[in-house]
Amino acid sequence: MSNKTVFGQIVSGEIPVKKLAETDRVLAFYDQNPQASVHILVIPKTTEYANVTELAAGDPGLLAEIVQVAKKLATVYADGDYRLVFNNGAGAGQTVFHVHAHVLAGDLTESSAGG
Ligand code: 5GP
């Protein structure tokens, strides 16, 4: 049995997803429980970082790449404007401990903060 998070299993291909964007280090796919008309998750392929605080400290360039991919996706799937949410810690609603950005776009009037 795998002890990876679900996102680790998505990166390794154990759980198939429709890839919306991919670079050498980053992968994007739809959230399975969308909170906005566009709700995409952008994750690093590395399983090293559990949350955005760790990522920012350990590899700020990779965090910047996540933001760049988020912007591109918002341009393709919405009007280019987007909300970027990182739930950081269980108390903030984080449920998957593989850092991920929620890219929320489109009609945001009814959407939550990605949780
Ligand atoms: P968190 O609450 O940790 O910030 O966000 C985790 C997100 O991952 C949730 O919005 C949830 O819907 C999404 N999610 C959890 N498991 C899967 C999965 O297997 N596939 C996809 N596409 N999304 C998932």
Side-chain angles (χ1 to χ4, degrees):
M1 195 173 116
S2 174
N3 61 1
K4 289 176 194 157
T5 68
V6 287
F7 294 168
Q9 292 176 285
I10 286 171
V11 170
S12 68
E14 290 164 69
I15 297 176
V17 289
K18 179 181 173 186
K19 294 177 182 178
L20 302 178
E22 185 172 21
T23 70
D24 286 349
R25 303 210 293 164
V26 170
L27 181 63
F29 49 90
Y30 285 119
D31 194 292
Q32 71 178 10
N33 182 23
Q35 304 295 313
S37 53
V38 176
H39 187 171
I40 296 169
L41 300 173
V42 185
I43 69 171
K45 291 182 178 176
T46 177
T47 58
E48 195 176 344
Y49 305 108
N51 59 53
V52 71
T53 306
E54 290 183 10
L55 177 61
D59 193 341
L62 183 53
L63 176 56
E65 190 171 333
I66 287 171
V67 177
Q68 286 164 2
V69 170
K71 170 62 182 170
K72 277 189 193 154
L73 288 163
T75 303
V76 172
Y77 291 96
D79 64 2
D81 291 342
Y82 61 105
R83 185 175 297 161
L84 198 59
V85 174
F86 291 87
N87 293 324
N88 197 94
Q94 186 176 5
T95 57
V96 180
F97 294 90
H98 175 137
V99 60
H100 52 280
H102 295 260
V103 182
L104 300 154
D107 179 6
L108 294 177
T109 51
E110 297 293 322
S111 67
S112 75

